Amino acid sequence: MCKCSISVCIAFVACCVVFALPETALGQQEYDVGEPNDGEVVFNGVRGSDVALLFDSEEVIVNPGDPLNLDCGVQGEFRSCVWETASATYQIEDVYSNLYSWMGKPPVEENNQCGIIINSANIEHHGIWTCKVYVRGNSLVGKKKVVVTIKPTTPVLEIEQSGGTLEVSNDEETEVKCSVAGARPAADIRWYLGDKDITVFAAADQTPNGEEDMHKTVSTLSRTFEPSENGRLLTCTVMHQTLVVPDNASIPISVIFKPIEKPLSTYYQIVPGSDYEVRLNFSANPSPTTTEWRYGEGFQNLATSIPVPGATDRYTTSVEELGDGHYTAKLHISGFTDADANQRYVLFVENRLGATQYQVKLSMDEAPLDGDSEYRDHDKIPPTEFSVSEGIVFDGEMESNALSGGAVAGIVIVILIVVVAVVAAGYARYRQMFCFASRAESKAYIQDPERNDADNGTANDAVKNSTDHVNGKTDTTAVANGNGNLEQTHVEEINNGKKNTDV
Ligand SMILES: *[C@@H]1O[C@H](CO)[C@@H](O)[C@H](O)[C@H]1NC(C)=O
């Protein structure tokens, strides 16, 4: 009883820790609040005799042809204002009395007594615009950078290889550069592989290219490509405020890799006497230099080989190219016999990067419903045609799903706590079981052999031991005692499960 309450205590503490965790994390996030707030209105320059300038000195970017509003306001009494550029000075009275056809007065003058509107921006308006307000005994000044855009030049993929594709290896990083010679402001470059954004693998470098505020952008992509990405289009995309539709440069990639390894494949339910065609999918790029079927008494003893395509009296081989480095190799057997089922087969494939042997078994048996039993009983490898390792290679879009280190640590801690709680609860339960277990129920379970298949390793083994004893001895009561407490506990738990399903 005392031990039980200790376990309950442990479980309770564990729960408290679990619920406390998220609050700690929240506390850290709130730390950022209270940053200085960059408001639109900046009180700039000198505050002379209770007069303040209302001015936003943030850079403004405008496309040629678009109107350009330049706001400048005053709080308090002032005499006059002017706008200055590198080459000219414009008095606000002149602007407001329509001296200039290309610029005029803003619709609202409140807090913007010195504001102007340029009807249609052009290259000449690029540069620093200064609003100067004259007040008694002083002047207030606000400066603003006006960037009049220039369309980026066409992006260029800097690739040394000739030909229409870019050859990349699947076991080393490839660097590809894309450059835009000039744009104002600097162009933004993104990378896509097919539809997938892979810009995270790129670093961009923007350098002034001589002309006023023009920039060259070079983006360098550094990435290792997967065999599954063979044949996809690599695209460098340029985004810029002047472009309605992004500008692209692209090239298909050819990922080169040695024939991808696969676990043993077993083909089931082959009918004796009938014709049978083994179809084995494999991937290799560039295309194989050697493809052959080999067979013999065992995988270490493959006496005979047939080239692909080729034939012996009963065996015919061929290969179908599916594109992008995928192939289906076929072995046609006419009049399948026991001898064929007793042989072992290997598809040997070699290309420029290496060779791989694909092991194949042919069976007249039913396909096992549960791949796991085959795994244990025979070759220690799942026998199904689809391969685990290939799945990982081909669907390896893991980059975007990665959790942060903190999240992983949090999850690990929570899992550990849950495990501790479960063990504690299990221990408490175990103590009770030990005191009150009923032998009659244990016996009922042991005599039910079907349960053996459905449960996992530890429980299953314990039960199996018990069952072995039952079969070996007639005294079943002695079994429960003889097997010790631990095994009896497992039996008891499973038995409870069974009772639930039966009721
Ligand atoms: C082999 O590839 C073909 C074409 O992609 C596919 O239809 C077939 O299901 C594959 N076979 C196996 C056993 O995976």
Side-chain angles (χ1 to χ4, degrees):
M1 242 3 200
C2 176
K3 294 230 164 104
C4 292
S5 21
I6 287 169
S7 307
V8 168
C9 268
I10 290 168
F12 179 74
V13 168
C15 286
C16 291
V17 174
V18 168
F19 286 109
L21 265 178
E23 272 179 40
T24 321
L26 274 179
Q28 283 168 346
Q29 277 171 351
E30 282 166 5
Y31 209 75
D32 286 340
V33 176
E35 248 183 37
N37 189 10
D38 282 330
E40 289 238 319
V41 176
V42 177
F43 290 89
N44 206 347
V46 189
R47 275 170 186 265
S49 49
D50 296 333
V51 187
L53 187 70
L54 305 174
F55 194 80
D56 176 8
S57 51
E58 183 104 345
E59 176 180 289
V60 62
I61 298 171
V62 61
N63 284 344
D66 288 351
L68 170 62
N69 290 20
L70 294 172
D71 292 347
C72 181
V74 182
Q75 237 170 31
E77 200 181 312
F78 71 102
R79 288 188 184 140
S80 67
C81 23
V82 297
W83 279 94
E84 290 174 353
T85 66
S87 55
T89 300
Y90 306 100
Q91 297 181 50
I92 210 74
E93 287 87 353
D94 289 344
V95 176
Y96 286 14
S97 63
N98 295 327
L99 180 64
Y100 307 100
S101 60
W102 51 274
M103 70 172 158
K105 189 175 171 175
V108 178
E109 271 180 78
E110 202 192 339
N111 289 335
N112 192 22
Q113 302 93 325
C114 304
I116 55 173
I117 293 183
I118 295 170
N119 303 330
S120 169
N122 68 41
I123 292 295
E124 266 122 58
H125 300 135
H126 179 89
I128 306 284
W129 285 71
T130 305
C131 176
K132 196 179 270 180
V133 180
Y134 295 99
V135 299
R136 195 176 115 83
N138 214 333
S139 64
L140 307 176
V141 172
K143 283 177 187 290
K144 188 178 190 70
K145 171 81 167 281
V146 171
V147 175
V148 180
T149 59
I150 294 176
K151 266 194 182 174
T153 54
T154 311
V156 176
L157 277 167
E158 295 172 13
I159 288 160
E160 282 145 40
Q161 299 169 26
S162 55
T165 60
L166 173 67
E167 192 171 275
V168 298
S169 161
N170 79 322
D171 59 12
E172 63 183 33
E173 202 170 81
T174 304
E175 269 198 6
V176 193
K177 285 186 197 297
C178 180
S179 67
V180 172
R184 190 166 75 192
D188 197 15
I189 295 179
R190 300 200 71 81
W191 291 89
Y192 290 87
L193 188 60
D195 293 338
K196 190 180 162 197
D197 189 330
I198 54 166
T199 313
V200 288
F201 297 97
D205 189 25
Q206 301 175 341
T207 46
N209 83 340
E211 289 171 68
E212 199 184 0
D213 291 318
M214 289 285 280
H215 285 87
K216 176 179 181 165
T217 303
V218 178
S219 177
T220 307
L221 179 77
S222 308
R223 189 171 185 272
T224 306
F225 293 87
E226 306 283 351
S228 61
E229 293 165 342
N230 184 34
R232 291 206 194 151
L233 197 63
L234 178 66
T235 303
C236 151
T237 293
V238 176
M239 320 263 233
H240 198 256
Q241 32 276 88
T242 54
L243 299 175
V244 181
V245 185
D247 205 356
N248 290 331
S250 56
I251 189 164
I253 58 161
S254 173
V255 185
I256 56 167
F257 51 93
K258 85 171 208 167
I260 294 174
E261 291 178 14
K262 273 171 86 162
L264 169 84
S265 307
T266 306
Y267 295 78
Y268 289 100
Q269 268 181 291
I270 304 175
V271 181
S274 70
D275 285 4
Y276 189 77
E277 187 167 77
V278 180
R279 292 163 157 265
L280 183 73
N281 289 352
F282 69 89
S283 305
N285 191 44
S287 49
T289 48
T290 308
T291 309
E292 57 190 42
W293 282 98
R294 296 173 177 176
Y295 57 92
E297 286 164 19
F299 287 126
Q300 306 313 317
N301 184 9
L302 301 159
T304 318
S305 75
I306 319 173
V308 177
T312 60
D313 52 342
R314 287 174 50 246
Y315 294 169
T316 311
T317 65
S318 60
V319 66
E320 189 184 334
E321 195 172 342
L322 305 171
D324 290 339
H326 299 297
Y327 299 84
T328 304
K330 297 172 187 171
L331 174 65
H332 185 94
I333 302 174
S334 41
F336 193 83
T337 64
D338 280 358
D340 294 323
N342 289 331
Q343 283 185 136
R344 295 293 174 263
Y345 303 79
V346 155
L347 177 71
F348 175 89
V349 182
E350 183 168 28
N351 73 358
R352 173 146 66 82
L353 287 116
T356 298
Q357 306 205 27
Y358 300 97
Q359 298 185 333
V360 170
K361 273 169 66 175
L362 305 181
S363 169
M364 298 188 287
D365 300 341
E366 295 280 313
L369 289 175
D370 167 32
D372 202 41
S373 67
E374 179 76 1
Y375 175 83
R376 239 184 291 119
D377 294 341
H378 298 290
D379 303 281
K380 312 279 181 207
I381 298 172
T384 42
E385 239 295 57
F386 81 88
S387 105
V388 176
S389 61
E390 196 173 59
I392 289 166
V393 170
F394 268 71
D395 302 319
E397 321 267 278
M398 306 295 278
E399 308 95 16
S400 52
N401 294 339
L403 289 167
S404 74
V408 170
I411 290 168
V412 167
I413 289 170
V414 169
I415 289 172
L416 281 177
I417 287 165
V418 168
V419 167
V420 167
V422 168
V423 167
Y427 184 72
R429 190 175 157 80
Y430 158 65
R431 296 304 296 185
Q432 280 178 324
M433 293 293 173
F434 182 62
C435 296
F436 303 110
S438 142
R439 282 171 193 164
E441 282 178 342
S442 304
K443 238 168 75 184
Y445 167 63
I446 289 165
Q447 283 162 357
D448 179 3
E450 272 175 34
R451 296 294 301 180
N452 281 345
D453 291 326
D455 280 289
N456 68 28
T458 330
N460 200 22
D461 289 344
V463 170
K464 198 159 176 285
N465 288 343
S466 313
T467 318
D468 290 344
H469 281 274
V470 172
N471 294 340
K473 296 182 186 178
T474 45
D475 183 1
T476 52
T477 318
V479 171
N481 292 335
N483 278 344
N485 299 334
L486 192 63
E487 285 180 11
Q488 192 180 0
T489 308
H490 285 301
V491 169
E492 183 62 31
E493 280 184 8
I494 294 159
N495 189 40
N496 285 347
K498 179 178 158 47
K499 266 192 337 197
N500 289 341
T501 50
D502 286 348
V503 167

